[in-house]
Amino acid sequence: MQLHALRLSGFRNYTRAHIEPSPRVNILLGENAQGKTNLLEAIYYLSAFRPLRPVREADLIQWGAQEMRLTAQYETDGLTDELQIRLHAQGKRVITLNEQPVARPSALVGRLSVVCFTANDLTLIRGEPADRRRFLDTEISLLSPRYAHAVAHYRRALEQRNNLLRAYLEGAASLESLPEWNAQLVKYGARLFQARRQFLERLNTLAETTHRALTRRAESLQLQYQPGLPVRAPLPEKEEDWADALMSALHQSAGEELRRATTLYGPHRDDFQILVQGYEARLFASQGQQRTCALSLRLSEVALVESIRHAPPIVLLDDVFSDLDPARRQSLVAYLTPRTQTFITCTDLSAFDEATLRDAAQFEVREGTVSRHA
Amino acid sequence: MLFPPALRQLMQQLERLPGVGARSAQRLALYLIRRPEEETRRLAESLILARERTRLCQRCFFLSEAELCELCSDPSRESEVICVVADPRDVVALERLEQYRGLYHVLHGLISPAEGVQPEDLRLRELVERVRAETPREVILATPANVEGDATALYIARLLKSMGVRVTRIAYGMPVGGELDYADAATLGYALSGRQEM
Ligand SMILES: Nc1ncnc2c1ncn2[C@@H]1O[C@H](COP(=O)(O)OP(=O)(O)OP(=O)(O)O)[C@@H](O)[C@H]1O
Ligand SMILES: [Mg+2]
Ligand SMILES: [Zn+2]
């Protein structure tokens, strides 16, 4: 995966900009509030078709502008694509691939494959189960449109079922259609369980290796899936088995569910545990250890995408060096740089060793402009 | 500065229409009062006429001006096949194909607790009675391919199967979550011919 050229207009604080990155390391250097993260966001948006930060899409348009436009030329599977997104202030979005309009962008999510590290990744370790579920949903969706579809349908089925339980509690409805909502919940729920189990299993194998590399073999890292179901290990293997398990959990908890008017079991109650040296990172790991864990998770994702797509994704690193000691900084850069196109934002160059700096392309970002350093 | 009362009232009425916000209501109202009087009168008349004349067919609940709709009173239609749809627009979409020769049953909605729609709010009791009375050879469920459409289809299948009638669901090769109304003729035709037993 390689980005050859990126053109921005009316995007965030960029009126107009153009960048031709190197196939290896690209350092985006600049003071605070100059547009470094915005540039990463442009690349991310071309991959995921949604903003990197939690804003409405229209907020990506430069303040006062009517339209934003991003155009990327990149190489994937030996082919060169030109992907363009235009977004109007009124909300109309037009995506073209090689100048052909794209009717269903969801099928194109992740075609430009990107893995993004942000300082915010720490919420993976420290945050709520909902943060980790969001991570699972975003990442698996990039790998599988079928999963993204199941997520949307599961959410809707859950909303419908909870509404029915509430209406019943208030005496406003009978439970006549409950079997059908159970069926919908179980159909999409089983898909989520199965995909999440598989994803975490693969990620776990990779996380172990990447974490050892980042910590120079000092620490181990494990991921343990905790499905929102009363099941004990070993976890079900097949989608049908997850379906049976969820259906029987629904039946067993029927009385309690009716009293509380909410769905007590299902992937909306999932979580996964992150263990460093066998202890839960959320509770026991130091600041730097937590930061390293979050990086290892993302790095594993890089490896996972690579094993599925047979080429490494583009890696975006936004302000990730804080809290890391020099040794871990170096391990991170060394781990990524040999084959992977990487974009790293920073406010100074102290995190890089000489060899990295010699090979990297440096860009200076200032007030919504970007220029290459000779 | 406000608009004069009669105009303001018109704007308020228009704003209550689905999909019309305050701004487009103003635009529409200003447009309407600038048109020739004759034209405005005709619009008002057709509004009232459509409202007065249109009712539901007593057999299939499609829109009609008579007791029975055109389809139900057409002797050349096969009355042993009933295609169940959510919305009158779906009937029109399917008829455009000129492929299906049976009759319809319009539910006027889908089961959706989130919108406060329960089974008894749909024309489901009427469907069961109709199937009992007419004993059709087949009931085809053509509700949309989304969560509500699937749940409604499953619910109907459960009701009807105990009555011994053959129940099928149209096969969705069509865009997921797609509505019949938007599906192009080719996918819809395929969906109708490749239906599955429930
Ligand atoms: N829609 C927009 N239109 C114009 N400017 C915007 C828009 N959205 C954000 N900005 C501005 O872009 C500026 C640069 O933001 P960005 O997050 O890229 O900074 P940064 O270079 O990553 O800084 P830091 O080092 O602090 O992370 C911000 O000051 C913000 O006010
Ligand atoms: Mg930033
Ligand atoms: Zn009729």
Side-chain angles (χ1 to χ4, degrees):
Chain A
M1 196 80 228
Q2 194 191 323
L3 182 65
H4 291 308
L6 172 66
R7 213 175 278 281
L8 310 85
S9 78
F11 182 83
R12 294 272 199 190
N13 68 333
Y14 290 90
T15 308
R16 187 149 290 172
H18 178 221
I19 167 175
E20 285 177 17
S22 127
R24 299 278 168 72
V25 180
N26 295 275
I27 297 174
L28 307 175
L29 179 68
E31 294 175 354
N32 293 140
Q34 300 303 306
K36 302 182 298 296
T37 304
N38 291 348
L39 196 61
L40 296 192
E41 182 164 53
I43 300 172
Y44 183 84
Y45 186 60
L46 283 156
S47 170
F49 303 134
R50 55 187 197 85
L52 180 58
R53 292 167 280 193
V55 295
R56 293 173 309 131
E57 262 187 294
D59 292 331
L60 298 176
I61 302 171
Q62 190 171 30
W63 298 325
Q66 279 307 301
E67 189 194 70
M68 72 113 214
R69 188 183 299 218
L70 296 176
T71 314
Q73 268 129 25
Y74 58 91
E75 201 175 298
T76 175
D77 311 324
L79 298 171
T80 304
D81 271 355
E82 183 177 287
L83 180 64
Q84 186 179 75
I85 308 183
R86 268 180 303 162
L87 187 68
H88 298 262
Q90 283 79 31
K92 192 175 149 58
R93 186 174 79 172
V94 182
I95 299 180
T96 59
L97 181 65
N98 302 322
E99 291 172 3
Q100 298 298 312
V102 176
R104 281 205 303 140
S106 57
L108 221 61
V109 164
R111 182 180 172 101
L112 173 69
S113 71
V114 162
V115 172
C116 182
F117 298 61
T118 73
N120 208 20
D121 287 346
L122 217 47
T123 56
L124 273 177
I125 315 295
R126 289 198 202 149
E128 303 296 312
D131 295 308
R132 286 179 284 280
R133 289 194 295 270
R134 199 169 316 116
F135 164 79
L136 293 174
D137 287 349
T138 320
E139 302 319 324
I140 307 173
S141 295
L142 288 175
L143 297 169
S144 152
R146 182 174 186 263
Y147 181 84
H149 170 256
V151 169
H153 281 56
Y154 180 79
R155 249 184 234 143
R156 188 68 181 153
L158 180 65
E159 186 193 353
Q160 292 286 15
R161 188 173 188 274
N162 284 342
N163 269 287
L164 180 64
L165 296 177
R166 217 168 303 132
Y168 175 75
L169 193 71
E170 291 161 0
S174 75
L175 291 177
E176 252 212 276
S177 65
L178 186 60
E180 281 67 41
W181 295 118
N182 285 349
Q184 296 296 297
L185 192 83
V186 164
K187 175 177 170 187
Y188 298 108
R191 251 181 235 176
L192 299 198
F193 279 137
Q194 167 67 7
R196 288 174 179 182
R197 187 193 66 96
Q198 239 174 24
F199 177 79
L200 280 172
E201 214 160 75
R202 297 172 75 171
L203 204 64
N204 181 47
T205 320
L206 298 165
E208 180 66 29
T209 326
T210 50
H211 197 71
R212 289 225 178 267
L214 273 195
T215 60
R216 313 200 163 185
R217 321 212 60 76
E219 288 174 13
S220 74
L221 177 67
Q222 278 159 356
L223 308 176
Q224 264 171 22
Y225 185 30
Q226 296 180 311
L229 266 186
V231 291
R232 266 185 238 111
L235 296 178
E237 285 287 335
K238 295 196 297 264
E239 201 173 301
E240 303 93 86
D241 300 335
W242 284 107
D244 291 345
L246 179 53
M247 191 58 99
S248 73
L250 292 178
H251 284 308
Q252 273 161 31
S253 62
E256 177 74 8
E257 284 198 327
L258 291 180
R259 257 191 310 284
R260 296 174 46 184
T262 188
T263 301
L264 296 173
Y265 293 109
H268 63 292
R269 294 288 174 102
D270 278 3
D271 196 1
F272 62 92
Q273 270 198 345
I274 301 163
L275 307 172
V276 174
Q277 301 287 79
Y279 293 98
E280 214 183 322
R282 185 169 61 92
L283 303 172
F284 300 108
S286 74
Q287 184 108 332
Q289 275 181 313
Q290 289 185 342
R291 174 78 64 196
T292 315
C293 278
L295 285 170
S296 295
L297 280 185
R298 290 284 178 210
L299 284 179
S300 320
E301 209 184 311
V302 173
L304 182 62
V305 172
E306 180 169 6
S307 74
I308 291 169
R309 304 277 299 259
H310 305 293
I314 294 169
V315 172
L316 311 176
L317 299 170
D318 194 22
D319 293 331
V320 292
F321 292 124
S322 53
D323 299 332
L324 293 188
D325 59 38
R328 286 189 183 195
R329 288 179 183 188
Q330 267 179 31
S331 310
L332 173 61
V333 173
Y335 188 87
L336 282 171
T337 47
R339 293 152 305 125
T340 315
Q341 189 178 31
T342 311
F343 293 81
I344 309 177
T345 68
C346 57
T347 48
D348 64 83
L349 296 173
S350 61
F352 302 96
D353 58 44
E354 249 173 62
T356 310
L357 281 179
R358 211 178 315 113
D359 293 342
Q362 279 182 46
F363 294 88
E364 191 173 316
V365 178
R366 176 179 290 161
E367 291 178 12
T369 64
V370 48
S371 50
R372 186 159 184 163
H373 244 255
Chain B
M1 184 55 198
L2 290 171
F3 292 110
L7 181 58
R8 215 157 64 215
Q9 195 184 348
L10 174 60
M11 288 171 178
Q12 278 163 7
Q13 294 293 332
L14 288 171
E15 202 184 324
R16 288 162 64 182
L17 301 178
V20 179
R23 285 182 53 170
S24 25
Q26 287 186 356
R27 196 164 37 80
L28 285 172
L30 291 171
Y31 171 82
L32 287 170
I33 58 163
R34 284 198 203 110
R35 303 301 299 168
E37 190 176 340
E38 168 59 19
E39 206 180 299
T40 319
R41 204 170 291 284
R42 240 179 306 153
L43 177 67
E45 275 163 12
S46 17
L47 206 62
I48 292 170
L49 201 65
R51 172 71 218 228
E52 280 176 356
R53 294 252 176 105
T54 315
R55 49 183 164 150
L56 298 182
C57 168
Q58 283 313 292
R59 190 177 183 190
C60 74
F61 301 95
F62 183 55
L63 304 167
S64 168
E65 294 195 4
E67 178 96 7
L68 290 182
C69 70
E70 275 179 46
L71 294 162
C72 285
S73 32
D74 178 350
S76 75
R77 305 288 298 206
E78 288 175 49
S79 60
E80 319 83 86
V81 186
I82 299 175
C83 178
V84 179
V85 296
D87 191 283
R89 282 169 295 182
D90 300 335
V91 173
V92 177
L94 284 160
E95 279 304 291
R96 234 183 280 128
L97 297 180
E98 300 183 358
Q99 179 182 335
Y100 176 66
R101 298 296 305 152
L103 297 179
Y104 294 92
H105 190 91
V106 186
L107 298 172
H108 292 275
L110 295 169
I111 306 175
S112 177
E115 273 89 25
V117 183
Q118 309 296 346
E120 61 270 22
D121 301 318
L122 305 175
R123 298 285 177 175
L124 279 170
R125 201 163 16 91
E126 290 87 342
L127 175 64
V128 172
E129 276 162 23
R130 186 174 165 195
V131 168
R132 189 171 293 133
E134 296 181 12
T135 57
R137 179 160 49 78
E138 180 180 353
V139 174
I140 303 170
L141 304 177
T143 51
N146 53 32
V147 174
E148 293 76 18
D150 281 344
T152 306
L154 286 173
Y155 181 84
I156 298 173
R158 182 156 61 87
L159 287 187
L160 297 185
K161 283 251 277 284
S162 61
M163 304 173 65
V165 60
R166 180 180 178 216
V167 182
T168 58
R169 174 103 167 97
I170 68 172
Y172 280 93
M174 59 172 58
V176 270
E179 289 168 26
L180 295 189
D181 204 23
Y182 295 129
D184 64 74
T187 37
L188 198 51
Y190 164 78
L192 199 59
S193 56
R195 53 191 191 272
Q196 294 160 346
E197 300 292 330
M198 291 214 48

